[in-house]
Amino acid sequence: MIPWNWWNNWGIPKGENGDLHCALNAGMPYFHPYIEKDMKLGSDPRSADTDLLEDDKLKAEIDRVKPLAELQAKLYNKEMVKHEFLGCYNKQKATYSDGTSILIDLNENTYEIKDNVNTRA
């Protein structure tokens, strides 16, 4: 499993939203319950409860992660049967064996999930 949108966007081209790659690959969303601090590899300056996000920001974080977690729960055991670049790198589509397709647009910073798309030509 790849922790999309993890510290310093590990494994994702700089400037791209890890949530879009997470959605495209039906991957594990990374939950960020702590305030941003100056992180250095090998150290974690956060303290237990004192560095948790404020309630409204924590709710927004839950709202961000929830649809990605639901998508992973739906597709965790489904095969990605097709991956397409739609005219350019910035628009991509993945289709899974159950007919679900995910479209991402890196220019618009959006993703769209379509259920039960016919995968046969």
Side-chain angles (χ1 to χ4, degrees):
M1 292 178 40
I2 297 173
W4 301 103
N5 212 10
W6 184 58
W7 178 75
N8 202 23
N9 266 5
W10 172 88
I12 300 165
K14 294 225 181 279
E16 293 184 7
N17 185 339
D19 288 349
L20 301 182
H21 291 278
C22 178
L24 186 70
N25 292 282
M28 174 183 70
Y30 194 79
F31 182 62
H32 302 277
Y34 295 100
I35 61 174
E36 293 292 322
K37 284 210 171 181
D38 199 14
M39 301 270 291
K40 291 185 173 49
L41 192 59
S43 69
D44 188 347
R46 300 171 296 193
S47 58
D49 294 331
T50 59
D51 290 335
L52 284 174
L53 292 173
E54 295 174 7
D55 287 349
D56 59 330
K57 291 181 181 176
L58 188 58
K59 183 179 180 332
E61 182 65 7
I62 292 168
D63 291 344
R64 178 189 69 80
V65 170
K66 188 174 180 181
L68 295 169
E70 289 170 348
L71 181 63
Q72 184 191 31
K74 176 182 177 183
L75 298 177
Y76 78 95
N77 63 348
K78 304 296 185 271
E79 180 182 1
M80 181 192 294
V81 294
K82 190 174 188 181
H83 176 264
E84 304 170 81
F85 292 101
L86 305 176
C88 66
Y89 167 81
N90 291 325
K91 292 184 180 181
Q92 300 179 39
K93 178 181 175 183
T95 304
Y96 288 82
S97 59
D98 72 340
T100 301
S101 71
I102 297 127
L103 294 98
I104 67 166
D105 187 329
L106 295 165
N107 291 328
E108 298 296 323
N109 202 33
T110 59
Y111 68 90
E112 179 182 358
I113 301 165
K114 293 184 177 182
D115 292 324
N116 301 317
V117 174
N118 186 356
T119 57
R120 297 180 189 195

